[in-house]
């Protein structure tokens, strides 16, 4: 805009020719800006095309082939998808993956409770906040190794702890019933600090006047929680549910480290673990690709439903 | 405020009575200071205990990890478990660096995470500047296109990406871990773009009139403005890349080329059969420690930027 003003001395004799020249100069300046803007955006756009669009397109094609990753790709139509539907291991892995999501509401409830406690004027708040956050930043591989040892039936920390209360703990990761809960407990433990931090910020942002008004109307603590706190932290809950579901669908590291064979009676194998196994251990690339696409679509659907529900409740996330 | 005066004197009085009654004025003053808003001190005391119990649960496994790493191979199996190793075995850490691939793992992890986050931050910042402050027809479409990338999970892309990189012979090198992510991070672009929306356009326009080139505008004007936002995102990204496990185990086969997370995971398998748990735990400690230090140093920025994540999305 600023560049359109003609030079000072030319104002007196501002002719059509000048206007034309100005426009030309302007267009040139704009073109220069476009070129620079395009150059500045180039890297991520190239990345997007080369490492997202292209692999995606390739994936869709590969999912219709029988292929070991090295040899020729043999087109077999929807055969992979047909096999998928009748593959009990796929359903089992999908079930396990969904089962792990039980940890999400548990973790959210626990972290909201902790956030509420921390939002009060308690001594050592910063200390607690830091301590709760340490598992979040620790590498998942190290945490998985640590908990695998902590879940050891005879010498593990968990069963030693339970023994204090006279409970004889199971041999967690070797037990088909307890392997999944064991992984859930660990995931809740690791993620607690993150959700708590987001909730804490949200709880502290709730205007104090709302609570005061409610007190004047005679609301008790539970009513205040239900009618003020919970609705006010809804955007955070929504954000956490969406990111946790997406993250939960990707669960792999702890499965592969703690139960390298998919757990007793395949009770811990997750979808991503099965995809990885098929693609890189059994070299069934075509089949694995079809599963990976199904996973991507499932995540997309769940996310879309979440957004739809959030909008239906008429709550903006901003 | 009125709530405070109605509830706290009774609690104060109760505490004072418990303390013997004589120190009433002093206890009152003290409690008024700590229980500043409407919180009752009794509830706060109970909650502090609850929070402390949780704090113990959160750190106990990590303390145990450190403690185990300093035990003898046999001390690991002592019942009841000993929290303070007897004797302390520092030699495990010497063995860790001499006999295993931990050192090369640290080196590889550093190469990957530093190159990705440093160069990637530059690409992201420049792109965010262009997306927020420069004229280009269809730039919003480009932004939405980039954002769509966040919806596609890595496992969906890992197989075709692997094939691509294996065709150009990059398997068992660090390049497949660096190249796809070094070109910019959508989350970072998103946050920096948001951040730049608060910077008035006139600032950039004024610099343009002064004849500054776009690179100069970015370098002299924009970069200093968005530095805090970059720093926060940079740390989060660094931790993410450092802790990544799935991509490295797909590409890296030779032990000396593996990143730290893969090295310790492999050690977990290898040394568990030899019952060398102190060594395994020592490796885990080493993989957690650098990030822990970074976290403790930059705690404020990290915690603030994470709290922001929730409110800005």
């Amino acid at each position: 805009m600023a560049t359109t003003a003609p030079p000072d001395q030319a104002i007196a004799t501002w002719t059509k020719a000048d206007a034309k020249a100005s426009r030309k100069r302007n267009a040139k300046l704009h073109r220069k800006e476009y070129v620079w803007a395009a150059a500045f955006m180039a890297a991520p756009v190239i990345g997007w095309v080369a490492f997202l669009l292209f692999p995606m397109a390739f994936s869709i094609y590969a999912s219709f082939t029988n292929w070991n990753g090295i040899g020729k790709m043999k087109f077999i139509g929807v055969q992979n998808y047909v096999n998928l539907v009748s593959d009990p291991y796929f359903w089992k892995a999908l079930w396990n993956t969904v089962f792990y999501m039980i940890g999400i509401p548990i973790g959210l409830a626990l972290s909201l409770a902790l956030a509420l406690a921390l939002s009060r004027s308690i001594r050592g708040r910063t200390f607690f906040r830091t301590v709760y956050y340490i598992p979040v930043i620790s590498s998942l591989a190290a945490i998985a190794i640590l908990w695998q040892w902590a879940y050891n039936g005879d010498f593990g920390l968990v069963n030693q702890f339970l023994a204090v209360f006279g409970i004889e703990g199971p041999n967690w990761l070797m037990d088909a019933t307890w392997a999944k809960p064991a992984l859930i407990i660990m995931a809740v433990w690791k993620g607690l600090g993150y959700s708590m931090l987001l909730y804490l910020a949200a709880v502290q942002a709730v205007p104090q006047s709302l609570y005061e008004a409610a007190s004047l109307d005679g609301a008790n603590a539970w009513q205040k929680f239900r009618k003020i706190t919970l609705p006010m932290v809804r955007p955070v809950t929504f954000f956490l549910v969406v990111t946790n579901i997406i993250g939960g669908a990707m669960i792999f590291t702890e499965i592969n480290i703690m139960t390298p064979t998919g757990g007793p009676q395949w009770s811990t194998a997750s979808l991503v673990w099965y995809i990885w196994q098929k693609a890189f251990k059994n070299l069934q690339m075509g089949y694995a690709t079809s599963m990976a696409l199904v996973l991507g679509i499932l995540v997309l659907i769940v996310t879309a439903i979440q957004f739809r529900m959030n909008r239906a409740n008429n709550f903006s996330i901003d | 405020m009125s709530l405070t005066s109605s509830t706290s004197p009774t609690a104060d009085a109760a505490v004072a009575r418990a303390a013997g009654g004589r120190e009433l004025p002093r206890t009152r003053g003290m409690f008024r200071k700590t229980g500043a808003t409407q919180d009752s001190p009794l509830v706060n005391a109970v909650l502090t205990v609850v929070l402390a119990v949780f704090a113990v649960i959160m750190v106990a496994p990590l303390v145990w990890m450190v403690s185990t790493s300093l035990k003898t191979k046999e001390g690991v199996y002592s019942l009841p478990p000993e929290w303070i190793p007897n004797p302390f075995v520092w030699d495990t850490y010497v063995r860790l660096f001499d006999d295993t691939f931990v050192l090369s793992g640290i080196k590889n992890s550093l190469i990957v995470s530093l190159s990705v986050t440093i160069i990637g931050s530059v690409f992201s910042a420049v792109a965010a500047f262009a997306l927020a402050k420069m004229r280009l027809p269809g730039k919003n479409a480009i932004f939405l296109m980039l954002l769509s990338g966040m919806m596609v999970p890595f496992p969906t892309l890992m197989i075709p990406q692997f094939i691509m990189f294996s065709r150009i012979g990059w398997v068992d090198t660090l390049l497949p871990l660096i190249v796809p992510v070094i070109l910019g991070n959508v989350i970072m672009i998103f946050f920096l773009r948001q951040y730049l929306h608060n910077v008035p356009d006139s600032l950039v326009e004024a610099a343009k009139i002064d004849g500054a080139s776009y690179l100069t505008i970015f370098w002299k004007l924009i970069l200093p403005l968005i530095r805090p936002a970059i720093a926060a995102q940079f740390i989060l990204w660094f931790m993410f890349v450092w802790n990544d496990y799935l991509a490295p185990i797909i590409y890296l086969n030779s032990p000396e080329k593996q990143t730290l997370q893969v090295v310790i995971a492999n050690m977990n398998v290898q040394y568990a059969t030899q019952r060398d748990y102190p060594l395994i735990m020592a490796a885990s400690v080493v993989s957690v420690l650098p990030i822990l230090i970074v976290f403790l140093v930059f705690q404020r920025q990290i915690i603030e930027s994470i709290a922001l994540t929730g409110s800005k999305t």
Side-chain angles (χ1 to χ4, degrees), chain A residues 18-302:
Chain A
D18 286 331
K20 204 175 160 193
S22 164
R23 253 202 311 281
K24 218 169 157 187
R25 206 162 48 236
N26 232 344
K28 209 175 138 199
L29 280 170
H30 273 180
R31 211 173 316 127
K32 196 178 146 213
E33 179 158 1
Y34 295 163
V35 170
W36 276 102
F40 283 171
M41 293 176 204
V45 171
I46 291 170
W48 189 86
V49 172
F51 302 113
L52 191 100
L53 188 66
F54 177 66
M56 236 359 218
F58 182 79
S59 255
I60 293 169
Y61 173 68
S63 74
F64 294 111
T65 66
N66 183 358
W67 184 45
N68 62 10
I70 308 152
K72 257 183 91 82
M73 298 170 90
K74 197 167 134 238
F75 191 82
I76 53 167
V78 293
Q79 193 57 46
N80 280 330
Y81 293 94
V82 173
N83 292 347
L84 193 69
V85 175
S86 55
D87 179 355
Y89 287 103
F90 167 75
W91 290 108
K92 181 82 173 142
L94 183 63
W95 161 244
N96 289 342
T97 308
V98 173
F99 191 95
Y100 291 130
M101 310 243 176
I102 294 174
I104 298 174
I106 299 172
L108 290 192
L110 218 51
S111 52
L112 179 57
L114 287 177
L116 285 173
L118 273 183
S119 70
R120 302 166 70 99
S121 44
I122 279 175
R123 215 176 281 224
R125 287 168 46 178
T126 342
F127 170 76
F128 286 132
R129 208 175 57 177
T130 308
V131 165
Y132 294 166
Y133 209 73
I134 291 175
V136 181
I137 53 134
S138 306
S139 95
L140 186 52
I143 295 297
I145 292 169
L146 163 64
W147 277 80
Q148 183 187 25
W149 175 225
Y151 277 134
N152 182 300
D154 300 316
F155 306 99
L157 187 64
V158 176
N159 280 358
Q160 293 298 329
F161 174 74
L162 291 176
V164 174
F165 303 97
I167 304 168
E168 200 188 321
N171 194 351
W172 297 89
L173 296 171
M174 303 292 160
D175 186 328
T177 4
W178 288 103
K180 270 196 289 278
L183 288 164
I184 291 173
I185 293 169
M186 187 195 88
V188 168
W189 175 84
K190 190 173 192 302
L192 207 56
Y194 179 72
S195 324
M196 188 225 51
L197 202 59
L198 294 195
Y199 270 134
L200 185 58
V203 165
Q204 284 173 336
V206 178
Q208 207 57 41
S209 57
L210 289 180
Y211 292 111
E212 281 161 16
S215 308
L216 288 178
D217 290 341
N220 62 29
W222 172 248
Q223 284 169 324
K224 279 192 248 175
F225 172 74
R226 279 296 311 276
K227 303 287 180 188
I228 300 173
T229 315
L230 219 45
M232 289 301 280
V233 300
R234 241 194 86 103
V236 169
T237 308
F238 169 72
F239 174 78
L240 286 173
V241 168
V242 170
T243 50
N244 273 327
I245 288 179
I246 295 176
M250 306 297 116
I251 184 170
F252 170 79
T253 305
E254 54 267 59
I255 313 288
N256 195 44
I257 290 178
M258 296 168 81
T259 56
T261 55
Q265 295 159 43
W266 238 65
S267 54
T268 61
S270 71
L271 208 46
V272 173
W273 187 82
Y274 188 43
I275 293 170
W276 174 78
Q277 193 79 9
K278 278 282 169 206
F280 300 105
K281 299 283 152 182
N282 303 355
L283 294 180
Q284 298 181 17
M285 293 279 183
Y287 185 55
T289 311
S290 68
M291 264 196 290
L293 280 176
V294 169
L295 171 76
I297 291 165
L298 285 179
V299 169
L300 204 65
I301 291 172
V302 173

Side-chain angles (χ1 to χ4, degrees), chain B:
Chain B
M1 300 321 134
S2 59
L3 290 165
T4 333
S5 49
S6 68
T7 54
S8 74
T10 44
D12 282 354
V15 172
R17 226 174 293 134
R22 273 190 317 235
E23 296 171 334
L24 185 84
R26 236 175 71 203
T27 14
R28 265 181 94 162
M30 195 181 86
F31 270 94
R32 185 159 299 157
K33 215 184 280 165
T34 46
T37 51
Q38 92 258 38
D39 306 345
S40 93
L42 192 72
V43 175
N44 276 0
V46 172
L47 285 177
T48 310
V49 172
V50 174
L51 287 171
V53 168
F54 262 94
V56 169
I57 295 174
M58 297 314 269
V59 287
L62 295 160
V63 172
W64 198 53
M65 171 167 87
V66 177
S67 146
T68 305
S69 75
L70 295 169
K71 289 175 188 169
T72 59
K73 273 194 211 178
E74 295 73 32
V76 166
Y77 299 103
S78 68
L79 285 176
E82 43 184 30
W83 286 89
I84 297 160
N86 180 31
F88 274 91
V89 186
W90 299 102
D91 185 51
T92 309
Y93 283 88
V94 178
R95 278 199 296 140
L96 186 66
F97 285 101
D98 286 351
D99 305 347
T100 70
F101 289 99
V102 160
L103 207 59
S104 65
I106 293 175
K107 192 191 79 192
N108 293 332
S109 282
L110 277 178
I111 292 174
V112 173
S113 11
L114 285 178
S115 62
V116 163
T117 47
I118 292 174
I119 301 174
S121 293
V122 175
F123 281 137
S124 308
V126 166
F129 164 52
L131 285 167
K133 287 281 170 263
M134 288 175 75
R135 267 181 287 244
L136 181 69
K139 72 171 182 181
N140 287 330
I142 292 177
F143 179 61
L144 285 178
M145 181 185 98
L146 292 177
L147 270 188
S148 71
M150 276 165 54
M151 305 290 277
V152 185
F154 174 71
T156 305
L157 298 171
M158 68 184 180
I159 299 166
Q161 279 193 6
F162 176 82
I163 300 299
M164 273 169 66
F165 288 123
S166 68
R167 286 283 151 85
I168 46 177
W170 281 4
V171 171
D172 212 21
T173 71
L174 296 176
L175 289 169
L177 305 178
I178 298 173
V179 175
V181 276
I182 207 172
L183 295 169
N185 177 339
V186 187
I187 301 170
M188 194 177 207
I189 293 174
F190 177 84
F191 278 107
L192 294 182
R193 183 176 166 274
Q194 291 288 84
Y195 199 87
L196 276 170
H197 277 314
N198 299 330
V199 175
D201 284 349
S202 54
L203 219 62
V204 178
E205 297 293 342
K208 270 198 246 172
I209 295 169
D210 289 346
S213 76
Y214 289 100
L215 271 179
T216 317
I217 296 176
F218 173 76
W219 191 252
K220 290 266 169 69
L221 187 70
I222 301 293
L223 197 59
L225 281 173
I226 58 174
R227 195 174 288 146
I230 293 181
Q233 289 296 318
F234 177 87
I235 298 166
L236 293 179
W237 195 12
F238 182 87
M239 296 202 293
F240 180 80
V241 179
W242 178 271
N243 290 337
D244 191 19
Y245 173 75
L246 179 52
I249 86 163
I250 293 174
Y251 290 106
L252 306 172
N253 306 315
S254 347
E256 73 277 4
K257 289 188 178 144
Q258 284 163 345
T259 59
L260 186 57
Q261 308 307 329
V262 182
V263 168
I264 65 167
N266 286 345
M267 281 177 66
N268 184 38
V269 177
Q270 187 190 342
Y271 289 95
T273 51
Q274 301 173 21
R275 309 235 155 248
D276 200 345
Y277 285 103
L279 191 69
I280 294 170
M281 289 299 141
S284 301
V285 170
V286 165
S287 96
V288 170
L289 213 57
I291 294 291
L292 187 67
I293 292 168
V294 171
F295 171 67
L296 291 178
V297 172
F298 297 103
Q299 221 197 106
R300 273 261 303 292
Q301 289 92 322
I302 295 175
I303 283 186
E304 269 164 24
S305 64
I306 289 158
L308 218 70
T309 322
S311 60
K312 279 285 157 62
T313 21

